[in-house]
Amino acid sequence: MTTTEIAPVPAAAPARAAHLYQLDLYRVITFALVIFMHVLGATTFPQGVGSDALEMPLHLTREAFFALTTFVLVFSYRSRPPRPMAFWRRRVPLVAVPYVVWSVLYWGYSLVTAEQPVGSVAAALRALGIEIADGTAWYHLYFLLVTLQVYLLFPVLMKLVRTLERRPWLVLGISGAVQIAVTCFLSYPPEGVEYSTVSRFFTTLLPYQFYSVLGAVAAVHFEAVQAWVRRHRWFVAGGLMVTLAVAETGYFVSVHNGLWPELASDAFRPYLVPWCVAAIACLLLAGTRWAEAGRPGGRVVSWAVDRSFAIFLTHPLALALLSPLIAFVGDGVGAPWTTVVVYPATVALTLVLVEVLRRLPWSKALTGRPRLELKRAAPALRLTA
């Protein structure tokens, strides 16, 4: 969601911007998992015990992105906190404009494809206003709404950088305790609390605040954090396996005790918190090792990073357009082959849509990135006698 162009801490004069290549692979892996999770959800039954067990750990993607978003912001400005108004003028439109545009586009798509009568224009426009306000125009747009909240609160966070430097474990401990309390409330709400009340928290920063704080702490102490994951790579990898086993155990115990698989595998289960932290550490480790190995496939990764925001915005539309393929393959061969076929088809169609959008005059409003110029064929040489 944010650029990985990072300015290192200057000594006397501002230094030339560096590029943290390890974040490129982190981003690409996470986006690939986002698409796979949504394809899996579209090609399997909502209450499938096995498919939900596979889908559950993929919720790490949202936490990984919130950690990355805050990391990039804090690292960029840790030595030179921005003026709030200048920061908001620069950053907010890059997310807010595509958010509103795509909310309208997905709202329009849902009207066109609705099986029931749409109703009055006034009612439809009122529904659009509500969807823009609460991030529900389509199932992935909440992320942009929460990102805007991160941007709005970022100047406040920068005032805490010195505290993050001196007492990182205290900050993480308090934030982690709040995270556990919030996830317990969302997963096991008190009796009498309606689901409609609980669901209002899903599009706020509160259920993700710990991962944003984790990203901020990692940015302030980046050199030490990267050295630690590199030095303890086997511990990080082992932690990933252990926390995955804990998460899956929590899921199956919940299902055994009568909780629907779809609820037992949602993103706000307390047993997912250790897994998400371990997965974020592994993503950083994978990116670091990849960068140190000379960045094999670097051009492809850079190309994907440049289009990552557009891919995120567009892939649910591609998946929706492929619904006839999902029905055809599902009726013919069923699971898991439907997922196997639809995933690469979704990726391919998404990339086609993104390439078209990036070449339109209004690319920035649609993708948050400037328009790609169309390549013109070189003029043919004329031979003269």
Side-chain angles (χ1 to χ4, degrees):
M1 305 300 298
T2 50
T3 180
T4 55
E5 291 293 336
I6 305 295
V9 179
R16 185 180 178 183
H19 190 93
L20 293 184
Y21 288 100
Q22 53 268 56
L23 299 187
D24 290 352
L25 188 67
Y26 178 116
R27 186 185 302 271
V28 170
I29 292 174
T30 310
F31 269 114
L33 293 177
V34 167
I35 299 175
F36 180 72
M37 179 176 66
H38 291 157
V39 169
L40 184 64
T43 56
T44 57
F45 292 109
Q47 300 302 335
V49 175
S51 59
D52 283 340
L54 179 59
E55 185 175 346
M56 179 197 62
L58 297 176
H59 287 302
L60 73 94
T61 53
R62 65 179 78 185
E63 282 78 7
F65 272 126
F66 286 124
L68 176 64
T69 297
T70 313
F71 173 91
V72 171
L73 290 174
V74 173
F75 195 93
S76 299
Y77 294 105
R78 64 179 181 173
S79 63
R80 47 184 179 87
R83 294 190 300 274
M85 292 306 299
F87 173 82
W88 290 329
R89 280 196 302 269
R90 180 187 175 195
R91 291 280 183 170
V92 170
L94 295 177
V95 174
V97 174
Y99 170 67
V100 173
V101 169
W102 280 96
S103 293
V104 173
L105 290 175
Y106 279 111
W107 167 81
Y109 179 83
S110 64
L111 292 182
V112 171
T113 58
E115 296 180 357
Q116 301 296 327
V118 174
S120 68
V121 174
L125 291 175
R126 186 163 53 251
L128 172 62
I130 294 172
E131 289 171 357
I132 291 175
D134 62 13
T136 57
W138 211 256
Y139 55 79
H140 67 310
L141 292 177
Y142 76 92
F143 181 85
L144 302 190
L145 189 61
V146 179
T147 300
L148 289 172
Q149 296 169 45
V150 173
Y151 285 0
L152 292 175
L153 292 174
F154 179 66
V156 177
L157 178 62
M158 288 305 298
K159 293 183 181 298
L160 301 176
V161 164
R162 295 296 171 256
T163 303
L164 297 178
E165 287 179 346
R166 295 192 300 266
R167 298 182 177 86
W169 292 112
L170 175 63
V171 174
L172 284 174
I174 294 172
S175 179
V178 172
Q179 186 70 33
I180 295 298
V182 170
T183 52
C184 286
F185 171 77
L186 296 178
S187 296
Y188 315 106
E191 194 171 335
V193 176
E194 299 286 340
Y195 178 78
S196 58
T197 301
V198 173
S199 63
R200 291 192 181 98
F201 289 93
F202 297 170
T203 57
T204 70
L205 181 58
L206 187 59
Y208 316 105
Q209 56 80 31
F210 171 71
Y211 304 100
S212 288
V213 172
L214 181 65
V217 170
V220 172
H221 299 275
F222 174 64
E223 294 77 11
V225 169
Q226 181 170 248
W228 189 91
V229 298
R230 185 192 295 117
R231 189 168 58 251
H232 299 89
R233 58 185 180 274
W234 293 112
F235 178 81
V236 173
L240 185 75
M241 297 297 103
V242 170
T243 55
L244 178 59
V246 169
E248 293 291 357
T249 299
Y251 165 76
F252 282 109
V253 168
S254 298
V255 172
H256 178 74
N257 289 335
L259 195 64
W260 284 10
E262 189 176 16
L263 291 177
S265 65
D266 72 30
F268 304 106
R269 294 286 150 182
Y271 43 74
L272 273 176
V273 174
W275 153 254
C276 290
V277 174
I280 290 169
C282 270
L283 286 170
L284 176 60
L285 175 61
T288 300
R289 300 282 290 179
W290 172 77
E292 291 174 345
R295 305 191 304 277
R299 283 191 176 184
V300 174
V301 172
S302 297
W303 179 91
V305 167
D306 182 64
R307 291 153 176 80
S308 58
F309 189 25
I311 291 171
F312 175 79
L313 291 166
T314 310
H315 79 272
L317 176 60
L319 184 57
L321 294 174
L322 289 172
S323 56
L325 176 65
I326 296 173
F328 176 77
V329 179
D331 292 342
V333 295
W337 304 110
T338 310
T339 305
V340 172
V341 171
V342 173
Y343 180 66
T346 303
V347 172
L349 181 55
T350 298
L351 296 181
V352 170
L353 292 173
V354 166
E355 289 305 299
V356 172
L357 295 176
R358 286 295 305 275
R359 285 164 173 79
L360 296 177
W362 46 88
S363 171
K364 201 161 189 178
L366 287 165
T367 69
R369 303 284 292 177
R371 179 189 185 187
L372 293 174
E373 295 297 328
L374 295 173
K375 292 183 178 180
R376 296 181 179 179
L381 295 176
R382 297 183 62 183
L383 298 178
T384 56

